[in-house]
Amino acid sequence: MGGGMALLFAEHGVTVSLEDPSDENVDKVLEAGKKDDLQDRLQKHQGYEELCKSLGSPKIFIFSLPHGNVGDTVVEGLHSYLNKGDIVLDASNENWENTQRRQGKLVAQGVFYIGMGVSGGYQAARRGPSMCPGGQDIALDMVMPLLQKVAAKDGKGRPCVAKAGVGGAGHYMIHNGIEHGMMSAIAEAWQIMEKCMDMKEDAVGDVFAKWNVEGELRGTFLIDIGHQICQTIDKEGRHVVDKIQDKVVQDVDGSEGTGIWSNEEAIRLHIPAPSLTSAHYIRLASANRGSRQHVQKTLHGDFSQEGKIKFENDKQKQDFLEDLRQAVYSTCLASYVQGMIIIDKADRENTWDIDFENVIQIWRGGCIIQADYIGDLLEDIYKNNGKAENRNLLYELRVAEDLKRTFPALKRIVSKGVEINAVIPSMSATLEYLKYAGNLELPTQFYEAQLDYFGKHMFDLKSEPAGDPVTGKHHYEWKPA
């Protein structure tokens, strides 16, 4: 992505000094620059000293690296060349804790370190990504005009970059967890249409295309590319998607950590996020296809799909597809809700002063989780309630109304999926989430009794106020020690 962003800056009139341990990487960028007539704005340099001499003051460094200790190595290499007022802009998808540690290290030098999540994939990196910078206001004010120039623009022409907050806020990459929930829901819908309804890929693509222009899924990036994926044909005349193995390996091979961090944060902060977590678990299960093949043999078969979904007429089919659309929307909205609750809890813990209206604007274009209807809904909520004491989206009537309205359709889809053994982890997890999120008669009443029986973990009485999640005041001696 770094090479694409270098070309993007050059295309917008910025002279870019390039340095990379790999000459081949830099040469590829230079070659691509020549094709776009940008060679006069791209300069190759050998080593940090030569690179820094080519820059004015204050110097602005932008890098996009694999997450982890690679960033530490680069910062350490630049350290002796940095002066007060210089800015290091980390455009990697880095862990927020690494970002805050580096900010703390450089602050004594008077050097600003901005952590900036970038979304949209390698295509957006070249044509205009969604960017989420976080750090000190003085540094953000300096770089914002540059970032606004190259950022993706939403449907109203507004740049999809804004101040996220201070500290590591820009690298609090929960949007990738939201992304996984949305991707899983859409993939589950694809499988229901293609495998369970026997629809041809082109027809499935047509459904996605229709969903993308009307209703609650309008302007949803993942729905849009779903249409394109279904209708893309290779040179042999075959649908490309039909040739792809059913395994996602990015979490296992270490190339992507953001989805893992989202789930770790949900657990650490005690936030139920099952739409996100279930999506992650199927990714993990899918990664080792060889293991799944072995398990299938051990089970003398598997629990795969049983039969097809049959319709008596076209109206029944269209009604089912409408239920499916609403089920996908419900799961996408629930993914947003769960992700935003995680962000809110982390914001309060770290005092990042996150601007939630800005966050929604960042996601409005050039972003994998771009969803115009959801964006409109949440932008209005945060514009009027962004600094409220309680920002739990489940308390918002407009969000609750949509979740309640789509619940029957979600339930019907999950019920049919269970009947025929369709694989629907995120949609079914969303259904359960909605069932227990506002339920005051959970089976955990018995669970709490079990804990008190063997562990003396205490409990509260039904006759007492609901209260906060703190240890109960009562114990019953179920059996003498």
Side-chain angles (χ1 to χ4, degrees):
M1 288 178 66
M5 291 186 74
L7 294 170
L8 180 64
F9 283 115
E11 191 171 66
H12 283 80
V14 179
T15 299
V16 181
S17 296
L18 301 169
E19 196 282 332
D20 191 287
S22 168
D23 280 342
E24 182 181 359
N25 287 344
V26 177
D27 290 342
K28 286 181 179 178
V29 176
L30 294 175
E31 189 62 33
K34 285 182 181 178
K35 292 179 182 177
D36 293 337
D37 198 26
L38 300 173
Q39 63 271 17
D40 292 342
R41 299 196 193 106
L42 298 168
Q43 302 174 356
K44 179 179 179 180
H45 297 280
Q46 299 285 347
Y48 294 143
E49 183 176 7
E50 182 182 320
L51 172 70
C52 293
K53 286 180 179 178
S54 74
L55 303 174
S57 182
K59 299 185 288 292
I60 298 178
F61 301 90
I62 302 176
F63 59 71
S64 179
L65 302 166
H67 62 83
N69 59 15
V70 180
D72 293 316
T73 301
V74 171
V75 170
E76 188 62 34
L78 287 172
H79 192 267
S80 60
Y81 304 105
L82 296 174
N83 299 312
K84 184 177 180 179
D86 288 346
I87 298 173
V88 178
L89 202 165
D90 181 353
S92 316
N93 283 344
E94 182 58 273
N95 186 287
W96 65 275
E97 292 180 299
N98 288 338
T99 299
Q100 292 201 157
R101 177 172 48 77
R102 292 169 193 160
Q103 288 171 336
K105 181 177 181 179
L106 292 175
V107 69
Q109 235 181 316
V111 175
F112 301 109
Y113 192 96
I114 296 172
M116 185 175 76
V118 178
S119 181
Y122 69 93
Q123 297 102 331
R126 175 64 185 91
R127 301 302 172 191
S130 159
M131 295 180 285
C132 183
Q136 292 176 268
D137 274 344
I138 186 173
L140 294 174
D141 288 338
M142 291 173 66
V143 300
M144 198 57 66
L146 175 64
L147 298 179
Q148 289 172 338
K149 184 182 293 189
V150 301
K153 306 300 187 292
D154 68 8
K156 298 177 181 178
R158 299 174 298 181
C160 295
V161 60
K163 296 179 185 179
V166 300
H171 272 155
Y172 199 65
M173 306 292 290
I174 303 301
H175 82 275
N176 286 101
I178 298 172
E179 171 187 313
H180 291 182
M182 295 175 69
M183 290 178 72
S184 185
I186 296 165
E188 292 162 32
W190 166 81
Q191 186 178 60
I192 287 173
M193 288 188 280
E194 205 265 350
K195 306 292 184 187
C196 305
M197 296 174 63
D198 255 352
M199 291 175 62
K200 301 297 184 184
E201 292 290 2
D202 287 340
V204 176
D206 288 341
V207 171
F208 283 144
K210 182 180 179 182
W211 289 359
N212 193 49
V213 296
E214 58 186 39
E216 298 92 341
L217 292 172
R218 61 176 171 79
T220 298
F221 172 82
L222 288 167
I223 296 290
D224 181 40
I225 69 168
H227 153 238
Q228 298 175 49
I229 288 169
C230 287
Q231 298 186 349
T232 297
I233 307 294
D234 65 13
K235 293 179 180 178
E236 288 75 43
R238 295 180 57 192
H239 288 88
V240 177
V241 68
D242 289 340
K243 300 160 60 175
I244 298 174
Q245 283 195 8
D246 62 341
K247 60 181 186 179
V248 175
V249 302
Q250 286 73 22
D251 308 296
V252 177
D253 69 10
S255 60
E256 181 175 307
T258 50
I260 297 171
W261 303 333
S262 295
N263 288 285
E264 289 176 341
E265 283 297 286
I267 293 168
R268 184 183 71 83
L269 296 171
H270 314 297
I271 304 295
S275 306
L276 282 55
T277 304
S278 295
H280 189 70
Y281 283 155
I282 192 173
R283 286 164 65 105
L284 297 180
S286 78
N288 195 336
R289 184 178 168 91
S291 174
R292 285 186 284 123
Q293 192 173 50
H294 193 121
V295 171
Q296 186 183 67
K297 291 178 181 178
T298 306
L299 292 172
H300 302 289
D302 57 19
F303 303 111
S304 59
Q305 181 185 321
E306 295 180 351
K308 303 286 185 179
I309 301 174
K310 302 295 184 182
F311 305 100
E312 293 182 4
N313 51 56
D314 187 63
K315 182 180 184 306
Q316 278 192 355
K317 179 179 179 181
Q318 296 307 316
D319 287 347
F320 184 85
L321 287 172
E322 173 58 16
D323 277 354
L324 187 60
R325 184 190 69 83
Q326 290 189 37
V328 171
Y329 167 63
S330 181
T331 304
C332 290
L333 180 58
S335 297
Y336 258 86
V337 166
Q338 293 162 25
M340 297 307 286
I341 293 173
I342 295 170
I343 294 171
D344 179 48
K345 185 80 176 282
D347 180 38
R348 296 176 191 280
E349 178 185 77
N350 293 283
T351 60
W352 284 330
D353 195 27
I354 288 178
D355 188 317
F356 284 79
E357 187 181 349
N358 277 358
V359 170
I360 297 302
Q361 176 56 32
I362 288 166
W363 297 343
R364 295 301 301 255
C367 184
I368 304 299
I369 65 170
Q370 175 187 340
D372 289 351
Y373 179 92
I374 294 177
D376 289 344
L377 176 67
L378 300 188
E379 179 181 318
D380 188 52
I381 288 171
Y382 287 124
K383 183 175 292 184
N384 296 305
N385 200 27
K387 295 296 183 181
E389 181 62 27
N390 206 317
R391 296 180 296 227
N392 187 327
L393 287 177
L394 288 178
Y395 300 168
E396 289 291 335
L397 288 179
R398 285 164 291 178
V399 172
E401 286 167 0
D402 272 17
L403 292 173
K404 186 175 181 179
R405 174 173 53 79
T406 56
F407 182 85
L410 175 64
K411 186 176 180 180
R412 287 191 291 267
I413 292 297
V414 172
S415 177
K416 178 59 71 173
V418 170
E419 180 185 327
I420 63 171
N421 281 348
V423 181
I424 47 173
S426 284
M427 285 196 279
S428 58
T430 298
L431 180 70
E432 292 301 318
Y433 175 70
L434 296 177
K435 284 163 60 179
Y436 63 65
N439 193 321
L440 297 182
E441 293 292 342
L442 297 178
T444 44
Q445 177 180 344
F446 191 79
Y447 200 143
E448 183 82 325
Q450 291 174 310
L451 288 166
D452 188 62
Y453 185 106
F454 66 75
K456 197 177 180 180
H457 287 290
M458 314 296 282
F459 55 83
D460 286 323
L461 297 173
K462 281 190 170 184
S463 58
E464 297 171 335
D468 296 320
V470 295
T471 303
K473 300 178 287 294
H474 306 278
H475 165 69
Y476 187 81
E477 194 66 17
W478 304 87
K479 179 181 178 181

